[in-house]
Amino acid sequence: MKNKKKIFISAEIACPFRTLDAAKLKHYFTLNNYEIIDSYKKANYYIYITCSATNPIVQTELKTIQEFNEPSCELIVLGCLPGANQEELKNIFSGKAIATNNIQDIDTFFPDFKIKFEEVPEANQFDSGNYVFLDTNPNASFFKLLLKYGMSATLTRKLHRHHDYKNFESANEEENINETRFLKICSGCTNNCSYCNIREAIGKIKSRSIASIKSDYSKLLIQGNRLFHFVAEDICSYGYDINSSLTELLNTLSDFDKKFEVKWSLEGLHPTWLVKNQKDLFPFIKSKKIWEITTSVEHGSDRILSLMNRHYKINDVKKVLNYLRTLNPGIKLNCMLILGFPSETEEDFEEVLELLKSIRFDDVLVTEYSEFSKRASSKIFPKVPKEVVQERLSRTNQILQKLKTPLIIGDK
């Protein structure tokens, strides 16, 4: 241990994708005889993995980098900041930096490493904490659920979900159904949203081969894992670059795992794909194999969605989501929203509230609009005053409390 170099890897305010990158990096350095430690003050290297999704996050991370002062430790900046906010980073930092889409270039900083980054398997779990599907105790009695949710649509969903979980539990008595394993299926994005700040940082779509994903899936199944969470920055663009598709991937894996009782969660389904390919999902929803979907709805107003360069109609999305609930009343439906997009009117905002009332999502992640001068949305006027955005956020929270739906505030 004395001869090992020490490294500290931090992804404290990064998204789940970069958190998985951090887990893979820790494996990479461990395989190459480095010691992972819990503080940069005793390290030879400090790997700082960044996010650039919102302006407040960018400013916080730039400040952290600028204030870093540890002569015995070399700082290396990874993540989206070096790709999305390259100029701002260069103004304060002249050290080593790599954007997300070129993370494999970490090898150039450590040329003596025998194990190269791309030879390291994709991480399938976080280093700490866990993704939790059930948001209440699976052993909770009907009366406890009734007391918490009252006679509501939320209670009905919870009862369906818990009944399904009990059956899942019975079918997997000796297996791991308490910890989710991640399947990162691709990186990059094919969309062109008018407000997105990380497009250059994550790069073009790079899909893993179905054979590679199937191999990982097989190993995890053999180990007894039964909960799987499919993730990517743009999960719906899987396969565009390798003449495949998300549908083909799901069908292949489902054909392979027939002798197992498994559950899948899909992270970040784009509504355009959801509307266009809905029939491909119906068998998975009806069988309850897919029991959770998170969709990036972003807004409830068609006018705002058009300005966002999001090509779908909100009523089409509502129809699909409501039909999924008829196929499986206990399915967990989560959504991501942006409030305060330029020119958002009171009427536009009311359509967001109507969306929430109509679908009754299980979790709602709301992020305040962040403006970046290089994005098309910065040219849209008028801007929504900060106090108006805060007031709308408060009203959103009030509605969700009535619906017994948790509100998650996006990073600021």
Side-chain angles (χ1 to χ4, degrees), residues 216-240:
D216 284 357
Y217 189 51
S218 175
K219 292 173 184 176
L220 292 167
L221 286 170
I222 291 171
Q223 292 168 6
N225 297 289
R226 297 294 180 263
L227 285 174
F228 298 93
H229 195 67
F230 292 74
V231 298
E233 289 96 353
D234 180 17
I235 190 173
C236 296
S237 290
Y238 173 81
Y240 281 17

Side-chain angles (χ1 to χ4, degrees), residues 117-137:
F117 185 78
E118 290 193 332
E119 296 172 355
V120 180
E122 292 294 337
N124 55 59
Q125 64 188 100
F126 294 153
D127 287 317
S128 59
N130 183 42
Y131 178 89
V132 179
F133 167 74
L134 286 178
D135 45 10
T136 55
N137 184 343

Side-chain angles (χ1 to χ4, degrees), residues 71-88:
S72 63
C73 178
E74 181 177 0
L75 176 64
I76 301 175
V77 179
L78 302 186
C80 289
L81 197 68
N85 299 86
Q86 190 175 30
E87 293 305 315
E88 294 98 314

Side-chain angles (χ1 to χ4, degrees), residues 84-361:
N85 299 86
Q86 190 175 30
E87 293 305 315
E88 294 98 314
L89 180 61
K90 282 184 177 180
N91 288 336
I92 64 163
F93 180 69
S94 59
K96 297 173 181 175
I98 303 174
T100 293
N101 59 325
N102 294 315
I103 189 171
Q104 69 281 354
D105 290 349
I106 191 74
D107 292 335
T108 63
F109 297 157
F110 300 92
D112 295 334
F113 278 12
K114 293 182 179 180
I115 308 298
K116 303 305 179 184
F117 185 78
E118 290 193 332
E119 296 172 355
V120 180
E122 292 294 337
N124 55 59
Q125 64 188 100
F126 294 153
D127 287 317
S128 59
N130 183 42
Y131 178 89
V132 179
F133 167 74
L134 286 178
D135 45 10
T136 55
N137 184 343
N139 297 312
S141 68
F142 167 78
F143 295 103
K144 286 184 177 180
L145 292 173
L146 178 63
L147 183 63
K148 184 173 183 178
Y149 299 106
M151 293 301 294
S152 63
T154 302
L155 173 65
T156 302
R157 295 199 306 275
K158 297 286 183 182
L159 292 174
H160 278 289
R161 196 174 301 151
H162 280 67
H163 178 70
D164 182 28
Y165 186 83
K166 285 295 185 182
N167 291 336
F168 177 59
E169 196 173 40
S170 297
N172 289 289
E173 292 182 356
E174 304 298 324
E175 311 301 349
N176 178 14
I177 62 170
N178 296 315
E179 297 179 351
T180 299
R181 295 295 177 252
F182 293 86
L183 287 172
K184 184 178 179 182
I185 64 173
C186 60
S187 60
C189 184
T190 62
N191 297 299
N192 189 29
C193 300
S194 65
Y195 53 87
C196 180
N197 187 49
I198 66 169
R199 191 162 60 248
E200 292 91 351
I202 62 177
K204 296 179 180 179
I205 198 75
K206 294 179 183 177
S207 301
R208 297 178 61 196
S209 69
I210 289 181
S212 170
I213 298 169
K214 183 178 174 181
S215 176
D216 284 357
Y217 189 51
S218 175
K219 292 173 184 176
L220 292 167
L221 286 170
I222 291 171
Q223 292 168 6
N225 297 289
R226 297 294 180 263
L227 285 174
F228 298 93
H229 195 67
F230 292 74
V231 298
E233 289 96 353
D234 180 17
I235 190 173
C236 296
S237 290
Y238 173 81
Y240 281 17
D241 56 328
I242 58 172
N243 195 31
S244 183
S245 67
L246 179 59
T247 297
E248 182 182 5
L249 173 64
L250 296 180
N251 284 331
T252 300
L253 296 183
S254 191
D255 288 341
F256 175 73
D257 68 14
K258 287 186 181 299
K259 66 179 181 180
F260 303 103
E261 184 72 25
V262 302
K263 294 292 187 185
W264 292 352
S265 301
L266 304 184
E267 174 77 26
L269 276 187
H270 195 292
T272 299
W273 187 96
L274 184 61
V275 171
K276 182 179 179 181
N277 299 276
Q278 54 185 287
K279 291 183 179 179
D280 295 331
L281 284 182
F282 290 168
F284 296 112
I285 304 297
K286 191 172 182 178
S287 68
K288 301 180 181 178
K289 174 173 260 184
I290 293 178
W291 67 349
E292 178 182 31
I293 287 174
T294 301
T295 180
S296 51
V297 179
E298 305 297 31
H299 212 276
S301 162
D302 285 338
R303 188 185 75 83
I304 294 295
L305 288 172
S306 178
L307 292 173
M308 288 179 164
N309 205 25
R310 309 276 292 180
H311 304 294
Y312 47 88
K313 299 296 183 182
I314 199 63
N315 282 337
D316 292 337
V317 179
K318 288 180 183 179
K319 288 178 183 177
V320 176
L321 293 176
N322 279 318
Y323 186 64
L324 296 185
R325 281 252 167 83
T326 67
L327 294 175
N328 175 11
I331 189 171
K332 188 175 184 186
L333 297 178
N334 312 318
C335 83
M336 296 178 280
L337 297 171
I338 294 174
L339 287 184
F341 192 84
S343 82
E344 180 187 80
T345 65
E346 178 63 22
E347 290 74 20
D348 294 322
F349 173 67
E350 288 291 342
E351 293 188 69
V352 173
L353 299 184
E354 179 56 36
L355 169 68
L356 297 176
K357 294 174 187 176
S358 172
I359 304 302
R360 293 174 177 261
F361 292 99

Side-chain angles (χ1 to χ4, degrees), residues 56-69:
I57 289 176
V58 169
Q59 297 309 313
T60 297
E61 294 188 326
L62 288 172
K63 183 178 179 181
T64 298
I65 293 167
Q66 190 171 26
E67 292 179 349
F68 176 77
N69 183 19

